[in-house]
Amino acid sequence: MWIGERIMLTDEERRAVEKEVTDCECPESASVEALQAVQRYRGWISDEAIRDVAPFVGMSPEKLDGVATFYSFIFRRPVGRHVIFLCDSVTCYVMGHENILEHLSQRLGIGIGETTPDSRFTLLPASCVGMCDHAPAMMIDEDLYGDLDGAKIDELLEKYP
Amino acid sequence: MERPLTEHLRKDGQALSIEEYENAGGYQGLRKALQMTPAEVIEEVKASNLRGRGGAGFPTAMKWGACPAGPDVRKPKYVISNSDEMEPGTFKDRLLMQANPHQLLEGLIISGYAIDAQIGYLFLRWAYAGSAKSLKGAVREAYEKGYLGRNILGSGFSMDVKMHTSAGRYICGEETALLNALEGVRPIPRSRPPFPAQCGLWGRPTVVNNAETLSNVPHIIRNGAAWYKSLSLSTDGGTKMYGVSGRVKKPGVWELPMGTTIRELLEEHAEGMRDGYKLRGIIPGGASTDFLTEAHLDVKMDFDSMQKVGSRLGTGTMIILDNSTCPVGLVLNLERFFARESCGWCTPCREGLPWIVKILEAIEEGRGEPGDLDTLEWHTQALGPGKTYCVHAPGAVEPLQSALKYFREDFEQHIKEKKCPWKDRTGKN
Ligand SMILES: Cc1cc2nc3c(=O)[nH]c(=O)nc-3n(C[C@H](O)[C@H](O)[C@H](O)COP(=O)(O)O)c2cc1C
Ligand code: SF4
Ligand code: FES
């Protein structure tokens, strides 16, 4: 990576990161929030983003990457405009998660971990999303949905252009 | 029947506002606590027999009492609400946080007063945007009314509350990993001792309690330990948020007396199995507890009774295995979860869980061999208590070891017939 190519945080991103840092007890403890803040603007966390956020939270890029790669919700690869988190934990398994996965894969033409060619959806697995009384369940972006079946899924997808 | 945690919830599921909460007796517990000494608060909670609702059932007052007090202790001290709730099959804290955020907050402030903490944290999971919104609003209202901040209600006690939203890893709910998560470093568990009560967040005395545990505290202080104990059908005090999920008629979560039987939960509240399905197994308290069977229907769901029959109350939210679901497939699903969520810090857990998954996959796909069950048994020992930094690994092998006991014939049938008997029956794994 050439220094000349370096993409820095935008002013807006910088302000968001600095806000997280001032809200926290010490800069390091803002690492997860700072990454989430930048991810809100960019959709994902690139190597450049890691490098640019690191000094704000007083960490080396390597140490910050150790945090970033740990979490499922920090994306270290590009994702689509919307991310579908399909719960694959125990109750959803019992209640037919496999059928839901099959339906989603067919509708979107992608498997788990993939993004549609038009970058509209990325499909990811999620551990229990706390909707077991309405299993099978999933999240789209930050919205929780339960009691899924094919028809309901088709309807829901329309809400996310 | 009294249901202190949930009886005042709004019908529309929206969060109780501070006025609604106060009209239902809210913040009376805090007012009363501030008239008592911290030691008296701890004493009252001790007398109530409140035990932790996060899974392990540790007596709450004992944890608070282990926090060093006095002028020489390094400050700030911390209290933390563990609101990570990621145990598969568990969906109880979400309701409490989203619909009654002030109750949790009041509990957090009282526990802060009890150990003389200056800062409280609400550690939230990423998937609960609704709870985050409720709690954020509640914190703002509490500051405005003087329940938080400097010199709370003129008592001289001051405390601030901060919120942290995690980014999705099960292990962050383990209390020492949670401390690392709050410090912003890679959230792997810490070795104990020292325990967080002595040396927690940034090395300061820290109490970590489950969100449901804390939600009980205002009621104990307001109505007294004797009243609290009288709510329970067992020696542990109070009510419990119980849940049932799986192929039952009415899955859900209910607040009921501690010690309610499995039968009552399953047959009365969940209204029994769906038509055409039969009960085969019960995982009583979230993914990391041992299976029980029909023979245990009359066992009480409390800490000691569950332990006596070889399982744990855990989170009190049970998962039902029915006759249309392959037990081997179900255990494989659980172990895949545990393997994926292992933090990878210690070898038995990092290497052992994927090994278990491999063997279970082989059995489920008809490639199982006669020695496989022995290898699985061996793993339940090798990953058992005391072999790893945290109890993720021992928790992971609890459903496995009991499945090998109660569903042995199913495992053997897979190996003998070289296929999963459920596959042709339902087309489902
Ligand atoms: C892998 C793992 C995950 C855990 N997840 C949670 C959790 O999501 N919520 C929780 O309250 N406790 C969780 N615990 C238990 C905590 O470590 C701790 O015992 C609990 O927060 C203490 O609160 P309590 O005494 O009020 O039960 C987890 C433990 C382990 C080993
Ligand atoms: S038991 Fe597993 S989750 Fe716990 S510290 Fe070891 S590797 Fe991490
Ligand atoms: S198991 Fe899928 S929401 Fe809990």
Side-chain angles (χ1 to χ4, degrees):
Chain A
M1 178 61 57
W2 304 100
I3 289 290
E5 265 181 12
R6 189 162 170 175
I7 310 156
M8 308 289 280
L9 296 184
T10 64
D11 287 350
E12 233 179 318
E13 287 168 346
R14 207 195 59 234
R15 274 196 297 276
V17 167
E18 281 172 346
K19 178 172 183 311
E20 297 300 344
V21 171
T22 35
D23 284 352
C24 279
E25 286 192 74
C26 80
E28 222 177 56
S29 65
S31 62
V32 179
E33 272 101 349
L35 289 167
Q36 284 178 342
V38 172
Q39 182 166 285
R40 234 165 267 138
Y41 289 103
R42 301 188 181 185
W44 66 295
I45 297 294
S46 62
D47 292 349
E48 291 76 21
I50 292 278
R51 206 184 47 206
D52 294 341
V53 171
F56 287 92
V57 294
M59 283 181 171
S60 67
E62 291 77 9
K63 191 171 179 187
L64 184 60
D65 198 24
V67 175
T69 52
F70 195 88
Y71 289 102
S72 322
F73 194 47
I74 307 275
F75 308 126
R76 285 292 275 110
R77 279 195 285 164
V79 291
R81 285 196 297 288
H82 305 290
V83 181
I84 302 175
F85 300 95
L86 182 62
C87 173
D88 62 6
S89 288
V90 57
T91 306
C92 289
Y93 171 81
V94 170
M95 302 303 285
H97 148 267
E98 303 256 316
N99 302 338
I100 302 296
L101 174 58
E102 209 175 286
H103 184 86
L104 270 171
S105 298
Q106 269 180 7
R107 263 296 301 243
L108 302 174
I110 51 172
I112 286 281
E114 295 175 352
T115 301
T116 53
D118 61 358
S119 292
R120 184 169 158 208
F121 288 112
T122 296
L123 181 57
L124 294 177
S127 297
C128 177
V129 295
M131 291 274 286
C132 326
D133 47 345
H134 294 282
M138 68 178 182
M139 283 178 78
I140 306 183
D141 300 336
E142 296 201 338
D143 310 318
L144 283 166
Y145 299 106
D147 300 317
L148 297 177
D149 57 31
K152 184 159 179 192
I153 288 177
D154 293 347
E155 210 174 288
L156 285 173
L157 293 181
E158 292 309 312
K159 291 208 228 165
Y160 297 85
Chain B
M1 191 188 343
E2 281 181 282
R3 294 191 169 93
L5 299 181
T6 56
E7 65 195 353
H8 298 292
L9 294 191
R10 294 169 58 127
K11 294 261 177 320
D12 63 4
Q14 295 298 309
L16 284 179
S17 68
I18 196 159
E19 287 79 21
E20 288 168 319
Y21 182 65
E22 284 173 328
N23 288 340
Y27 288 107
Q28 295 299 327
L30 175 62
R31 287 174 195 279
K32 192 165 161 194
L34 293 172
Q35 309 288 322
M36 300 158 72
T37 65
E40 284 167 347
V41 173
I42 297 181
E43 203 45 50
E44 194 69 30
V45 173
K46 185 173 172 200
S48 78
N49 286 354
L50 172 65
R51 292 175 65 174
R53 309 298 200 231
F58 195 80
T60 304
M62 202 188 283
K63 196 184 277 188
W64 296 2
C67 253
D72 299 335
V73 177
R74 288 214 302 160
K75 291 196 177 153
K77 291 197 244 178
Y78 296 96
V79 282
I80 299 173
S81 167
N82 189 345
S83 313
D84 199 42
E85 184 154 82
M86 273 193 67
E87 180 84 6
T90 303
F91 47 97
K92 64 182 180 71
D93 296 341
R94 174 167 56 92
L95 174 74
L96 291 179
M97 295 189 286
Q98 193 160 335
N100 206 348
H102 279 289
Q103 175 172 268
L104 168 57
L105 203 53
E106 186 183 358
L108 188 70
I109 304 167
I110 296 175
S111 70
Y113 177 72
I115 69 148
D116 188 24
Q118 286 67 45
I119 299 180
Y121 272 101
L122 293 159
F123 188 96
L124 269 165
R125 73 169 293 186
W126 63 288
Y128 287 177
S131 306
K133 191 165 154 266
S134 293
L135 282 165
K136 241 183 222 146
V139 169
R140 190 174 15 87
E141 288 175 324
Y143 267 108
E144 283 164 10
K145 287 255 181 160
Y147 295 127
L148 272 176
R150 292 211 61 74
N151 192 13
I152 294 171
L153 301 173
S155 65
F157 171 65
S158 303
M159 180 172 143
D160 284 309
V161 164
K162 292 171 182 288
M163 238 162 108
H164 172 89
T165 308
S166 190
R169 273 307 282 277
Y170 173 63
I171 199 63
C172 293
E174 196 282 337
E175 60 183 10
T176 60
L178 185 151
L179 298 176
N180 280 337
L182 281 177
E183 291 185 15
V185 298
R186 201 171 160 90
I188 52 178
R190 301 175 179 176
S191 77
R192 275 148 290 203
F195 290 90
Q198 280 109 31
C199 179
L201 201 54
W202 287 293
R204 311 291 159 72
T206 303
V207 158
V208 184
N209 272 132
N210 170 258
E212 183 188 347
T213 312
L214 289 171
S215 296
N216 277 281
V217 170
H219 304 288
I220 294 171
I221 299 302
R222 183 153 73 98
N223 300 318
W227 164 85
Y228 188 73
K229 275 202 289 199
S230 77
L231 299 176
S232 163
L233 299 172
S234 80
T235 47
D236 311 318
T239 57
K240 175 82 191 76
M241 300 296 294
Y242 289 112
V244 179
S245 69
R247 289 195 190 279
V248 292
K249 289 211 181 87
K250 201 174 143 237
V253 53
W254 313 275
E255 182 187 5
L256 293 166
M258 178 65 93
T260 302
T261 62
I262 298 178
R263 186 186 296 282
E264 184 182 330
L265 282 164
L266 190 58
E267 293 177 1
E268 281 179 40
H269 302 283
E271 296 179 5
M273 298 299 291
R274 286 196 192 174
D275 295 332
Y277 293 97
K278 280 221 251 336
L279 172 71
R280 281 213 70 199
I282 301 152
I283 305 179
S288 59
T289 55
D290 280 277
F291 275 96
L292 295 175
T293 66
E294 215 164 3
H296 302 107
L297 280 177
D298 292 308
V299 179
K300 288 179 170 184
M301 289 272 280
D302 62 52
F303 294 104
D304 295 338
S305 310
M306 283 314 214
Q307 196 140 29
K308 267 190 215 130
V309 292
S311 189
R312 287 190 301 118
L313 176 62
T315 56
T317 43
M318 58 197 210
I319 306 151
I320 302 298
L321 168 68
D322 63 87
N323 61 338
S324 77
T325 306
C326 170
V328 179
L330 185 97
V331 175
L332 170 59
N333 173 279
L334 291 171
E335 299 308 327
R336 275 188 180 140
F337 162 82
F338 287 114
R340 179 167 81 196
E341 296 293 345
S342 163
C343 84
W345 183 243
C346 39
T347 314
C349 177
R350 183 187 60 239
E351 304 294 328
L353 290 172
W355 190 348
I356 291 174
V357 168
K358 244 187 187 162
I359 297 172
L360 289 169
E361 274 170 356
I363 297 176
E364 183 66 0
E365 289 164 12
R367 295 179 285 108
E369 287 171 19
D372 283 351
L373 298 189
D374 295 334
T375 316
L376 288 175
E377 297 275 10
W378 179 84
H379 273 92
T380 62
Q381 301 298 315
L383 272 67
K387 309 278 203 314
T388 51
Y389 270 94
C390 84
V391 294
H392 179 83
V397 294
E398 281 182 32
L400 174 64
Q401 72 191 13
S402 44
L404 287 170
K405 186 162 91 189
Y406 294 123
F407 307 114
R408 191 155 199 107
E409 283 155 29
D410 297 289
F411 282 85
E412 284 168 349
Q413 195 186 354
H414 278 74
I415 297 174
K416 210 166 89 217
E417 296 177 5
K418 296 198 183 308
K419 63 170 194 201
C420 170
W422 272 266
K423 278 232 168 81
D424 345 318
R425 259 200 260 169
T426 60
K428 194 177 101 180
N429 241 336

